[in-house]
């Protein structure tokens, strides 16, 4: 009956108010007061070894969850939609919005009305009848029904709670779900690239998008329509430029306004060429060179400029409101305190799109920088981002914080790899082939002398002076392993000096043998080095050997850079030497079937970027990657050390080679010592 519960037990306890006999399963009737007492004393009973088992249906039918959003779907201050939104238009999210945050009680997953929750809150007993059925409402649930309004959450916190499905209330982590327009918004975000409402290729695009590019266009269109920016982080070589051009055309159809592309100087010509090829009716202005001007810019113009000019002409570029700003190779703004990042943030824009094949080169702070530029304030300040997610995720990529961060980031960052199923099945294989070599006698003598002399100086130094000496040591050792002439700053060899020049360096000898084999097979090669000086030495030497190489580095003028790339792609030169920093991004060099890393960069992401100049869409040959590594030196030892020493691995992950300055004298000596590792 109402307010009664039948209690079964296997050995009747003394003092039971019901009629029973010991040792035989019986039942007794509990009144409302008894039920309350039983609920309150359940923990004490468990401590005494008495387990109370409630009928599952009775206890779990009612549930309470934290809900964020405006249930009525209006456009007031608490809604993620901005005022004045057109009928039928999806709500646009605002980080400054304040959204209702409350408890919502549900019966079997169906929300109770305000009147039903009022009745539940006012019930005098825990066993209540709701919608024709008896359910158990514990004191905590009834208290939540009585005090439903928890307050209002800022847009950033509301979005985080909705995406993770949890929120902290009074130091307890509880389930949370969105309501009203926020629920609709979250539904779109969670669909990602697989949104059922596919966005067609825009008018004016003359290229046929690949399936994954079409999905990226759909994702960009739906995400930005909600008021968010986005990071397209596809692997190098998967055609992010074409996807961005398609999105630019789509965006201008929906929201007219000039588009601005900011990119490295080496990519200005690429953007202009790709736009002329794939969007011939799109007016393009290259804001570059001494005659640069914005006078011809209209609402349908695409302006292409460089990060350097963004810093120099910041005021002029910020005078306009840009409908779309695209930051290509956006890792150039990965340091939020840099002048580049500050100028990029100062550009007035409706929509922001970051393109980067390496959204994280060193640490998750770089990821925050890209996300915070595309969606200002959405992920909170950097210190809070690192405290809540990044620090723990970097230490344990398989931990809960990393998983939660992934759920939050996923709606705003699209990442596809060449190896993902169905992405680029026609892309040929990539073979990684380390080529260990031994130092020559001259190299070994120089190496040991530099180590001995510099380590003694390091032991006697402190602070900035010590850091400088560590960098000096590492640089000297890398130069010695490249070639003695590199370390000794000698002039490039003459034709008659070529045999002796080859014999002085094990790496040079290995490179010469390798290129002879590649030439005999009629194939082409890219040779990357971290040093322009070494590039000049190699270019001169390979010229004397008849390879007719091209050389591309940071000081190469833009027009000449384009000419050399075209000449290589046309097959007029079988070898191209490139400086890693200047040529590691933005080039398409699919003529090459071989990539040679002459020296190590200490950063796998940078090497992979360079390799992707050849291993990208348009490549039809298997790409072989040759890494020249001098055995028993600092080059040979770094990978082993990263694996063996967790502290060093973490430091290098979060700080590149600067982390090496924090090694102790003993650790540094172990790192650079010549010979087999002890």
């Amino acid at each position: 009956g109402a307010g009664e519960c039948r209690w079964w037990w296997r050995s009747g306890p003394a003092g039971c108010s019901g009629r029973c006999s010991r040792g035989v399963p019986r039942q007794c009737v509990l009144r409302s007061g008894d039920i309350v007492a039983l609920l309150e004393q359940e923990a004490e009973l468990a401590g005494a070894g008495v387990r109370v088992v409630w009928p599952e249906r009775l206890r779990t039918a009612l549930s309470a969850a934290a809900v964020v959003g405006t249930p009525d779907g209006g456009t007031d201050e608490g809604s993620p939609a901005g005022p004045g939104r057109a009928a039928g238009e999806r709500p646009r999210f605002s980080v400054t919005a304040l959204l209702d945050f409350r408890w919502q009680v549900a019966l079997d997953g169906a929300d109770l009305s305000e009147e039903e929750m009022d009745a539940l809150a006012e019930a005098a007993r825990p066993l209540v009848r709701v919608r024709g059925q008896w359910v158990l409402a514990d004191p905590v649930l009834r208290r939540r029904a009585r005090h439903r309004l928890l307050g209002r959450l800022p847009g950033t916190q509301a979005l985080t709670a909705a995406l993770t499905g949890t929120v902290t209330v009074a130091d307890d982590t509880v389930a949370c779900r969105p309501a009203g327009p926020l629920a609709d918004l979250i539904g779109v975000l969670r669909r990602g690239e697989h949104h059922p409402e596919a966005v067609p290729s825009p008018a004016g695009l003359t290229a046929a998008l690949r399936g994954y590019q079409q999905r990226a266009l759909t994702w960009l269109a739906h995400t930005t329509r909600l008021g968010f920016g986005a990071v397209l982080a596809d692997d190098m070589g998967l055609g992010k430029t074409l996807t961005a051009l398609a999105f630019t055309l789509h965006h201008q159809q929906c929201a007219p306004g000039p588009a601005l592309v900011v990119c490295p100087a080496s990519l200005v010509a690429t953007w202009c060429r790709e736009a002329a090829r794939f969007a011939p009716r799109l007016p393009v202005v290259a804001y570059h060179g001494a005659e640069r001007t914005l006078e011809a810019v209209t609402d349908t113009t695409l302006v292409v400029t460089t990060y350097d000019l963004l810093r120099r002409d910041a005021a002029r570029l910020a005078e306009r409101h840009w409908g779309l700003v695209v930051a290509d190779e956006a890792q150039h703004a990965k340091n939020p305190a840099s002048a580049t990042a500050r100028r990029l943030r100062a550009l007035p824009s409706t929509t922001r799109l970051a393109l980067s094949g390496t959204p994280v080169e060193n640490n998750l702070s770089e990821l925050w920088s890209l996300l915070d530029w595309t969606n200002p304030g959405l992920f909170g300040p950097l210190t809070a981002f690192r405290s809540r997610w990044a620090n723990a995720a970097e230490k344990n990529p398989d931990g809960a914080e990393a998983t939660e961060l992934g759920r939050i980031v996923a709606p705003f960052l699209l990442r596809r790899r060449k190896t993902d199923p169905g992405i680029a099945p026609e892309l040929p294989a990539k073979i990684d082939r380390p080529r260990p070599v031994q130092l020559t006698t001259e190299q070994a003598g120089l190496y040991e002398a530099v180590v001995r002399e510099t380590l003694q100086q390091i032991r006697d130094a402190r602070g900035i002076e010590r850091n400088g000496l560590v960098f000096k040591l590492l640089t000297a050792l890398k130069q010695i392993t490249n070639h003695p002439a590199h370390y000794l700053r000698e002039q490039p060899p003459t034709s008659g000096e070529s045999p002796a020049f080859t014999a002085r360096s094990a790496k040079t000898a290995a490179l010469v043998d390798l290129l002879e084999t590649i030439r005999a097979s009629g194939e082409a090669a890219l040779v990357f080095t971290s040093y322009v000086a070494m590039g000049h030495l190699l270019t001169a030497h390979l010229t004397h050997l008849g390879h007719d190489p091209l050389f591309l580095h940071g000081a190469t003028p833009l027009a000449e850079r384009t000419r050399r790339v075209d000449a290589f792609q046309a097959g007029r030169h079988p070898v191209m030497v490139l400086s890693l920093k200047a040529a590691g991004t933005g080039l398409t060099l699919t003529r090459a079937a071989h990539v040679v890393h002459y020296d190590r960069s200490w950063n796998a992401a940078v090497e992979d970027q360079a390799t992707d100049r050849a291993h990208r869409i348009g490549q039809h040959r298997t790409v072989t990657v040759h890494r020249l590594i001098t055995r028993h030196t600092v080059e040979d030892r770094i990978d082993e050390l990263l694996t063996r020493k967790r502290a060093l691995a973490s430091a290098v992950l979060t700080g590149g080679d600067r982390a090496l300055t924090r090694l102790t004298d003993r650790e540094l000596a172990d790192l650079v010592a010549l010979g087999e590792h002890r």
Side-chain angles (χ1 to χ4, degrees):
E4 298 181 354
C5 179
R6 299 189 180 275
W7 185 17
W8 291 82
W9 72 90
R10 291 198 175 276
S11 59
C16 174
S17 60
R19 296 181 295 278
C20 57
S21 59
R22 291 180 179 274
V24 180
R26 296 286 184 179
Q27 67 180 24
C28 64
V29 177
L30 299 180
R31 302 294 177 180
S32 297
D34 300 324
I35 295 172
V36 173
L38 187 59
L39 283 168
E40 293 175 347
Q41 298 175 28
E42 190 171 348
E44 296 179 23
L45 289 170
V50 178
R51 185 165 63 97
V52 179
V53 181
W54 299 91
E56 188 68 18
R57 175 70 183 75
L58 189 71
R59 188 159 197 171
T60 61
L62 283 180
S63 62
V67 175
V68 61
T70 303
D72 62 8
T75 57
D76 59 8
E77 182 187 9
S79 170
R85 179 164 50 95
E89 182 184 344
R90 287 199 180 109
R92 291 178 65 83
F93 186 81
S94 170
V95 296
T96 60
L98 293 175
L99 287 83
D100 284 347
F101 181 41
R102 61 176 63 234
W103 291 112
Q104 174 64 54
V105 181
L107 176 66
D108 294 328
D111 289 350
L112 299 185
S113 67
E114 295 293 310
E115 293 76 11
E116 288 171 326
M117 285 191 286
D118 286 339
L120 184 64
E122 295 168 2
R125 58 195 182 196
L127 196 63
V128 295
R129 196 169 183 83
V130 180
R131 296 182 180 176
Q133 56 180 295
W134 291 103
V135 290
L136 192 62
D138 62 42
V140 173
L141 187 141
R142 284 186 292 160
R143 185 165 57 251
R144 290 176 176 177
R146 182 178 300 110
H147 305 289
R148 292 194 289 278
L149 186 60
L150 290 167
R152 311 196 92 189
L153 282 185
T156 53
Q157 296 180 28
L159 191 67
T160 298
L163 288 172
T164 60
T166 60
V167 68
T168 301
V169 179
D171 296 328
D172 289 331
T173 300
V174 299
C176 179
R177 58 182 174 84
L182 182 61
D184 297 334
L185 183 147
I186 294 296
V188 174
L189 291 178
R190 283 179 172 158
R191 292 187 186 104
E193 61 178 306
H194 301 290
H195 198 285
E197 299 176 22
V199 173
S201 295
L205 187 72
T206 61
L209 297 178
R210 295 170 180 266
Y212 65 86
Q213 291 173 317
Q214 187 70 55
R215 294 195 301 274
L217 173 61
T218 293
W219 171 73
L220 286 169
H222 287 295
T223 301
T224 56
R225 194 177 302 163
L226 296 174
F228 296 104
V231 179
L232 181 58
D234 285 347
D235 259 356
M236 293 286 181
L238 289 181
K240 291 190 294 295
T241 303
L242 175 56
T243 303
L245 282 169
F247 175 64
T248 300
L249 293 173
H250 170 84
H251 191 274
Q252 289 186 337
Q253 290 174 359
C254 299
L260 175 67
V261 172
V262 187
C263 62
S266 60
L267 296 185
V268 172
T270 300
W271 270 95
C272 294
R273 182 185 301 178
E274 297 282 275
R277 178 183 177 189
F278 298 126
R281 296 202 299 269
L282 177 65
V284 178
V285 171
Y287 186 75
H288 190 262
E291 304 298 322
R292 59 186 181 273
T293 178
L294 296 174
E295 291 182 2
V297 174
T298 69
D299 280 352
T300 60
T301 303
L302 173 68
V303 178
V304 184
T305 192
T306 69
Y307 286 105
D308 179 58
L309 286 175
L310 172 66
R311 293 188 294 269
R312 290 161 55 187
D313 293 3
R316 187 183 303 178
L317 290 169
E319 287 176 355
R320 291 180 175 267
H321 183 91
W322 302 95
L324 170 66
V325 174
V326 180
D328 193 13
E329 300 296 347
Q331 64 272 14
H332 280 73
K334 65 186 179 182
N335 179 0
S338 67
T340 299
R342 294 198 305 271
R343 300 294 185 269
L344 202 57
R345 290 171 187 274
L347 292 173
S349 58
T350 302
T351 301
R352 295 175 174 180
L353 170 61
L355 305 178
S356 176
T358 54
V360 179
E361 287 186 338
N362 296 304
N363 58 60
L364 291 175
S365 295
E366 298 168 357
L367 176 62
W368 175 89
S369 185
L370 298 186
L371 292 168
D372 191 64
W373 175 69
T374 53
N375 293 286
L378 192 60
F379 292 86
L382 177 58
T383 51
F385 177 84
R386 291 211 59 85
S387 176
R388 180 166 181 180
W389 294 298
N391 291 334
E394 287 169 354
K395 291 178 182 177
N396 181 15
D398 297 321
E401 290 83 359
T403 301
E404 185 175 271
L405 180 59
R407 286 201 300 267
I408 296 170
V409 167
F412 314 104
L413 184 147
L414 185 58
R415 172 72 164 161
R416 280 89 57 89
R417 298 180 181 276
K418 295 171 184 172
T419 53
D420 291 346
I423 293 298
E426 78 283 11
L427 196 63
K430 180 175 67 174
I431 300 172
D432 201 328
R433 185 167 292 170
R435 299 179 70 90
V437 299
Q438 298 280 4
L439 292 179
T440 64
T441 301
E442 181 185 5
Q443 284 177 300
L446 285 171
Y447 192 103
E448 289 185 313
V450 168
V451 168
R452 183 171 56 252
E453 177 183 344
T454 312
L455 281 182
Q456 182 57 52
Q457 295 175 5
I458 289 172
R459 293 187 187 99
D460 298 334
R462 296 291 182 272
I464 295 177
E465 181 186 1
R466 184 182 187 277
N467 293 349
L469 288 170
V470 171
F471 282 127
K472 177 183 175 182
L473 172 62
L474 293 173
T475 300
L477 296 184
K478 290 173 72 175
Q479 291 173 342
I480 291 168
T481 59
N482 278 350
H483 197 288
H486 185 195
Y487 171 69
L488 297 171
R489 301 181 181 180
E490 298 175 1
Q491 293 298 311
T494 63
S495 178
E497 296 170 335
S498 286
F501 186 85
T502 300
R504 293 174 67 191
S505 167
K507 274 190 183 180
T508 304
L511 177 65
V512 169
D513 289 344
L514 179 60
L515 292 182
E516 287 295 340
T517 302
I518 292 172
R519 178 163 58 179
S521 65
E523 296 178 315
L526 307 177
V527 180
F528 284 96
T529 174
S530 301
Y531 301 94
V532 174
M534 190 67 227
H536 283 298
L537 290 172
L538 289 176
T539 302
H541 184 50
L542 295 177
T543 298
H544 298 322
L545 297 178
H547 287 284
D548 193 20
L550 296 165
F551 185 28
L552 208 62
H553 54 88
T556 306
L558 187 59
E560 179 62 19
R561 182 187 183 95
T562 302
R563 189 198 69 77
R564 293 180 190 180
V565 169
D566 291 344
F568 179 82
Q569 286 291 87
R572 294 194 291 272
H573 299 265
V575 178
M576 179 177 278
V577 179
L578 310 100
S579 69
L580 196 62
K581 184 175 181 180
T585 58
L587 297 178
T588 296
L589 298 167
T590 49
R591 166 75 178 166
H594 296 267
V595 176
V596 182
H597 290 288
Y598 191 82
D599 45 55
R600 304 303 301 274
S601 71
W602 307 104
N603 189 323
V606 172
E607 284 190 351
D608 290 342
Q609 281 184 341
T611 299
D612 284 336
R613 301 308 97 221
H615 192 245
R616 61 195 296 115
I617 296 298
Q619 178 60 267
H620 303 293
R621 309 173 188 84
T622 296
V623 175
T624 303
V625 183
H626 309 270
R627 303 179 195 275
L628 303 183
I629 305 171
T630 48
R631 298 185 64 193
H632 310 317
T633 70
V634 64
E635 279 191 325
D636 190 28
R637 200 158 293 134
I638 189 67
D639 288 331
E640 176 190 352
L641 189 62
L642 291 176
T643 302
R644 185 171 58 85
K645 285 184 173 292
R646 181 177 180 182
L648 178 61
S650 177
V652 170
L653 179 65
T654 58
D657 56 5
R658 288 186 176 277
L660 300 177
T661 63
R662 296 194 290 271
L663 294 177
T664 65
D665 291 347
R666 180 68 264 168
E667 289 171 329
L668 187 61
D670 286 343
L671 179 68
V672 302
L674 182 62
E676 293 189 14
H677 186 59
R678 297 182 294 277

